[in-house]
Amino acid sequence: MPDAASTQPDSLQAIKDEFRRHLETFYTQLKLAPPYESVEKAIRTLTTIMHALPKEEQVRIVSDPALRWQQFRLAFDASGLAKKHRGIIAGLARHRSTVNLPTEYDHFLNLFLM
């Protein structure tokens, strides 16, 4: 069985892929074109954030969806995605019941209500 260190690149890639899927879902469900350059920046930001963490913390994040969403929110905000389509998404976020997204996406939506 491989140890955590040897699976780290695969785990990081899996987290990046998951983040990309969540971003695609977010913009698709809001019926908005994703700001592609900013999406790529957000994925690079997530990579930077993850690489800066101790290996033990990276392993915890890989195994805990709540911790992954915290990192996704950090990357979403730090990359500037929370500034794109701000007016449109803020209006949708204020009327959350009309948005067809699972509650996990409130990590992103709440950034537009600040």
Side-chain angles (χ1 to χ4, degrees):
M1 175 175 248
D3 62 34
S6 67
T7 62
Q8 199 58 34
D10 291 340
S11 297
L12 180 57
Q13 186 59 51
I15 288 175
K16 288 169 36 178
D17 292 344
E18 179 184 354
F19 186 42
R20 183 182 298 279
R21 283 191 308 276
H22 288 311
L23 293 174
E24 289 169 359
T25 298
F26 181 75
Y27 287 105
T28 298
Q29 291 303 114
L30 296 179
K31 297 175 179 49
L32 294 170
Y36 292 105
E37 187 175 311
S38 296
V39 165
E40 293 306 316
K41 182 178 180 184
I43 293 166
R44 288 190 307 271
T45 301
L46 177 65
T47 303
T48 301
I49 290 169
M50 290 295 294
H51 279 294
L53 296 171
K55 295 291 184 204
E56 301 78 32
E57 183 66 13
Q58 292 177 23
V59 170
R60 285 184 48 230
I61 290 167
V62 166
S63 64
D64 186 335
L67 292 176
R68 285 197 306 276
W69 272 102
Q70 288 176 4
Q71 300 308 311
F72 296 160
R73 177 189 167 107
L74 282 173
F76 190 95
D77 193 26
S79 69
L81 273 177
K83 295 180 178 137
K84 307 292 181 178
H85 300 303
R86 185 150 189 90
I88 296 167
I89 297 174
L92 294 169
R94 280 192 288 277
H95 300 93
R96 178 65 174 92
S97 61
T98 63
V99 177
N100 187 23
L101 283 168
T103 57
E104 293 86 7
Y105 290 86
D106 288 352
H107 286 91
F108 300 156
L109 288 172
N110 289 340
L111 291 169
F112 293 90
L113 298 174
M114 302 172 108

